[in-house]
Amino acid sequence: MLNYTLRRLLMVIPTLLILVIFAFYLMRLAPGGPFTSERPLPPAVMANVLERYGMDEPLYVQLWTYIKNIICCFDFGPSFAQKDRTVNDVIAQGFPVTLTYGFWSAVFVLALGVPLGIIAALRHNGFWDYTMTGLAIFSQIFPNFVLAPLLVLLFTLSWGLLPGGGWNGGQWQYIVMPAIALGTSYMASVARLTRGSMLEVLGSPYIRTARAKGLPERTIILRHALKPALLPTLTYMGPVFVYMITGSVFVDVFFSTGGIGQDFIDGAYSRDYSILLGLAILYAVLTFALTLAVDLLYAWIDPKVRAGLS
Amino acid sequence: MIGAVKRRLNSANFADERAGEMVASRSFWADAGRRFLRNRMAVFSVGMLSVLVLFAIFGNLFSRWSFEEIDWNVLGRIKQDGGPSLENGHWFGVDELGRDLYARVVQGTRTSLLVGFIAGPVSVILGATLGALSGYYGGRFDRTVLGAYTIWLAIPYIIFFVVWQAFFGRSMSQMILVIILVNWTAGLLIVRGQVMMLKNREFVDAARMLGMSDLAIIFRHLAPNVLWVVVIYTSLVIPEVIMMESLVSFLGVGIQEPNTSLGALLSEGASTMTFGTLWQLGFPAAIFVLAQVSLFYIGDGLRDALDPKER
């Protein structure tokens, strides 16, 4: 188990290196830069600016300095477009926002998706089952960028219940819609997956044995069926977290939450190399950490998997 | 019931009928086609999608305005006069800048469908080819491909996509190229698994003994056997690609103005809905949802018709 964790952690290093090198060269090869504007700077000034940011050196030297600074001092460099701010400042300000509604969105996905899947399996071909199938199709067709405007249309413009954007220190009214917009489609997938595996488990011989013993239905489901039925759902949470990280870029932009997604898009517009690289690393690390956490949790719960790892 | 069966069995031309049925092609694909045609929702969706395609190709013929022309009569009074109307020829109303929304929706649908139907299949073919090669050869090549695959999956695609779009042009061909690059893993694993299973079968041994080269075996003998996987996978990837394109356009790094796509139109509509010009959101959203619904059911029908597990 420890061995496995270490091996997975070691994988992170080459992946991040490839990502950084690739992104670094990709961005620098593109024409233009953070200091090109409609009225070009005089060459002398431009030279000074470039020197100030260390951009007069050859690319591989810059790349080396960048990586060195990260490793030695956790320094991701200054922002090119936002004066007097470092990448660390930008992340420290925006990341808690994204993390907060991301967390509530994950809670929403699990707290609604899992029970819905279980109920649909218990009432196979009943009302809840069809409701869930409908929901699954709905979520396929209404991705977050269609759902979010509709939510605002209903909750803000028509009924005036919730604010249509902003953050305001993370009051709950400001978290509801971002969390729903981010989570709905995954909630439906989780429900569908839970339903499928629950149906499979309920049809298995040991459940029949439990029924034959005369155990109450409650005990059968909560004690015996639930745990194995949730395993596939758990593995699916890894990819779900990855997709949610991706989706959070959109949610940040649409709801103006002030999360890192907005910084990312702004950075792309203004060629803010350091912000883009820093956020790319952050997104990738987050992806790794969450997938690894899910995998370890899985191994912890399922003895078969645990045996396979060591 | 029994009487009817007896009558049929004793009828004069029963033997001929049966013989005709047997002679007529009953290949896997003919069978699958028959199963697909029996799925009403899928067939209806093919019709719906065809209508959308026709709309994207010929929709302009019914438009009185071009997609970049500004109607100065309604500009500044868009909330009052800019709505859908038959009199001034703006069937879907006008957008924020007074351009005809109908013409723009036609243009946007064209972009989105083109991107989906070019980038989707090409990336699946790329992924499937890589998967077939790595499943067939195994060894170091297989390990390299799988390693790259794992690393690639760990990087949220949006990073790459947004940076690429913002830095290198915003044309349609760029968009298609970057989608293919992002999606090169599509179908890789499943085709690899299928090929690994098939490569030990007798017909592959036979082909090898006949002296066929590896590539000929892969593309002549293995490819037809994994085609069904590729078809199913393509039908799943196309709506996903359209969604990707729309998301990126929504974020503002999509195709360059005055050209547009459904995602860009959705984004414009969403940004102006506070002013009460809801048609600017409604029409693009409806077309987008229509496209996604029909692609979803077509994919569903194909899966039912082709996947041996579903039978």
Side-chain angles (χ1 to χ4, degrees):
Chain A
M1 188 89 175
L2 188 71
N3 219 331
Y4 173 77
T5 317
L6 282 179
R7 236 182 315 139
R8 281 287 294 268
L9 283 177
L10 277 182
M11 266 270 304
V12 177
I13 297 167
T15 310
L16 283 183
L17 262 183
I18 290 174
L19 173 73
V20 168
I21 294 171
F22 192 64
F24 190 87
Y25 276 99
L26 182 73
M27 288 193 295
R28 294 305 176 90
L29 284 177
F35 308 118
T36 29
S37 54
E38 287 183 3
R39 270 183 41 201
L41 295 170
V45 179
M46 190 63 164
N48 274 336
V49 172
L50 287 183
E51 201 193 331
R52 161 89 172 66
Y53 285 98
M55 279 170 64
D56 51 344
E57 287 175 273
L59 276 187
Y60 65 89
V61 178
Q62 291 181 40
L63 179 61
W64 173 240
T65 325
Y66 181 73
I67 295 175
K68 206 171 59 189
N69 282 341
I70 292 175
I71 293 171
C72 93
C73 336
F74 204 69
D75 176 12
F76 289 82
S79 161
F80 289 113
Q82 307 184 30
K83 302 282 173 279
D84 295 330
R85 289 184 83 196
T86 64
V87 176
N88 289 359
D89 292 340
V90 172
I91 290 178
Q93 197 181 22
F95 188 48
V97 173
T98 307
L99 204 59
T100 309
Y101 74 76
F103 169 76
W104 286 112
S105 190
V107 169
F108 163 74
V109 166
L110 286 174
L112 227 68
V114 170
L116 202 58
I118 294 173
I119 293 172
L122 295 181
R123 306 260 181 284
H124 189 37
N125 288 334
F127 169 75
W128 283 105
D129 201 9
Y130 290 124
T131 310
M132 211 214 66
T133 316
L135 184 75
I137 296 171
F138 171 87
S139 69
Q140 279 247 339
I141 295 159
F142 289 85
N144 51 17
F145 57 89
V146 181
L147 187 66
L150 292 182
L151 285 176
V152 172
L153 198 59
L154 286 180
F155 288 103
T156 310
L157 296 179
S158 303
W159 301 332
L161 291 176
L162 295 166
W167 188 243
N168 202 14
Q171 271 180 308
W172 69 267
Q173 296 96 323
Y174 292 83
I175 297 179
V176 175
M177 278 201 291
I180 293 179
L182 184 58
T184 300
S185 56
Y186 311 117
M187 194 265 286
S189 317
V190 163
R192 195 164 43 167
L193 210 68
T194 312
R195 169 182 173 273
S197 59
M198 192 73 185
L199 276 178
E200 208 179 304
V201 169
L202 284 179
S204 61
Y206 78 91
I207 295 291
R208 204 181 323 136
T209 312
R211 288 225 171 92
K213 274 202 305 194
L215 285 183
E217 195 67 21
R218 230 184 119 79
T219 321
I220 295 176
I221 286 156
L222 293 180
R223 256 302 177 59
H224 298 279
L226 195 57
K227 207 171 151 188
L230 284 183
L231 284 180
T233 312
L234 192 59
T235 28
Y236 180 63
M237 283 318 280
V240 163
F241 285 137
V242 179
Y243 297 141
M244 283 172 90
I245 291 167
T246 310
S248 74
V249 175
F250 161 76
V251 172
D252 279 333
V253 171
F254 185 77
F255 288 105
S256 321
T257 52
I260 44 176
Q262 184 65 56
D263 296 312
F264 184 64
I265 299 294
D266 291 345
Y269 273 122
S270 56
R271 307 270 155 117
D272 199 336
Y273 300 135
S274 53
I275 290 274
L276 287 176
L277 269 180
L279 288 177
I281 294 174
L282 178 68
Y283 282 125
V285 167
L286 219 58
T287 308
F288 264 115
L290 289 170
T291 346
L292 181 63
V294 167
D295 286 356
L296 289 180
L297 201 62
Y298 191 65
W300 180 60
I301 290 178
D302 191 344
K304 269 188 284 182
V305 175
R306 196 163 48 216
L309 290 185
S310 44
Chain B
M1 179 72 192
I2 293 172
V5 172
K6 254 189 195 153
R7 224 173 305 131
R8 186 161 169 251
L9 283 174
N10 290 330
S11 69
N13 48 5
F14 176 70
D16 289 342
E17 255 175 39
R18 288 293 303 152
E21 241 172 68
M22 279 181 212
V23 171
S25 153
R26 293 283 285 178
S27 74
F28 169 74
W29 291 99
D31 249 6
R34 207 159 304 166
R35 271 194 299 273
F36 185 82
L37 288 179
R38 252 186 319 210
N39 186 335
R40 288 219 189 103
M41 203 57 208
V43 173
F44 179 68
S45 298
V46 170
M48 211 151 61
L49 190 67
S50 316
V51 171
L52 274 183
V53 170
L54 290 178
F55 171 75
I57 299 174
F58 300 113
N60 277 343
L61 299 179
F62 306 101
S63 166
R64 274 194 236 156
W65 304 83
S66 88
F67 68 91
E68 40 189 350
E69 219 176 313
I70 293 172
D71 184 356
W72 299 100
N73 293 325
V74 294
L75 194 64
R77 301 182 45 79
I78 286 171
K79 188 170 163 24
Q80 297 85 9
D81 300 341
S85 115
L86 289 177
E87 283 144 37
N88 56 13
H90 297 301
W91 320 128
F92 289 180
V94 297
D95 75 354
E96 203 186 356
L97 298 177
R99 295 173 294 192
D100 184 39
L101 194 63
Y102 175 80
R104 291 187 71 71
V105 170
V106 170
Q107 221 271 326
T109 313
R110 189 180 299 171
T111 310
S112 290
L113 289 181
L114 259 181
V115 168
F117 278 89
I118 294 176
V122 172
S123 40
V124 174
I125 288 172
L126 184 69
T129 310
L130 264 175
L133 290 176
S134 98
Y136 187 83
Y137 287 112
R140 187 178 294 164
F141 181 69
D142 186 35
R143 276 199 299 278
T144 316
V145 171
L146 273 196
Y149 176 82
T150 332
I151 289 178
W152 189 250
L153 282 199
I155 301 170
Y157 75 85
I158 197 102
I159 296 176
F160 186 70
F161 207 148
V162 167
V163 170
W164 182 288
Q165 279 295 111
F167 279 59
F168 298 92
R170 315 255 299 270
S171 66
M172 177 118 104
S173 45
Q174 280 289 343
M175 179 67 106
I176 290 174
L177 182 70
V178 68
I179 290 183
I180 293 169
L181 284 180
V182 165
N183 271 319
W184 67 273
T185 53
L188 191 148
L189 270 200
I190 186 159
V191 169
R192 173 176 168 273
Q194 285 286 321
V195 167
M196 277 167 82
M197 201 176 71
L198 287 171
K199 75 173 177 187
N200 297 320
R201 297 268 282 271
E202 293 87 344
F203 72 93
V204 178
D205 283 341
R208 201 171 294 135
M209 256 179 288
L210 284 172
M212 291 187 85
S213 69
D214 286 341
L215 285 183
I217 292 177
I218 292 174
F219 289 104
R220 253 323 159 55
H221 292 284
L222 290 176
N225 283 296
V226 294
L227 191 58
W228 65 274
V229 178
V230 175
V231 170
I232 293 178
Y233 219 86
T234 310
S235 74
L236 298 178
V237 168
I238 289 173
E240 215 171 282
V241 162
I242 292 179
M243 218 170 264
M244 251 186 201
E245 188 275 329
S246 299
L247 173 64
V248 173
S249 298
F250 203 124
L251 290 176
V253 286
I255 282 159
Q256 187 79 50
E257 285 275 321
N259 290 321
T260 189
S261 78
L262 287 179
L265 289 168
L266 274 167
S267 153
E268 285 165 25
S271 67
T272 57
M273 68 185 172
T274 31
F275 309 132
T277 53
L278 283 181
W279 64 88
Q280 294 176 355
L281 179 64
F283 286 107
I287 300 279
F288 180 85
V289 167
L290 216 61
Q292 291 291 335
V293 172
S294 47
L295 286 168
F296 175 83
Y297 279 108
I298 292 173
D300 208 46
L302 282 175
R303 200 166 45 228
D304 284 350
L306 291 172
D307 192 342
K309 274 193 304 242
E310 302 281 334
R311 263 172 256 153

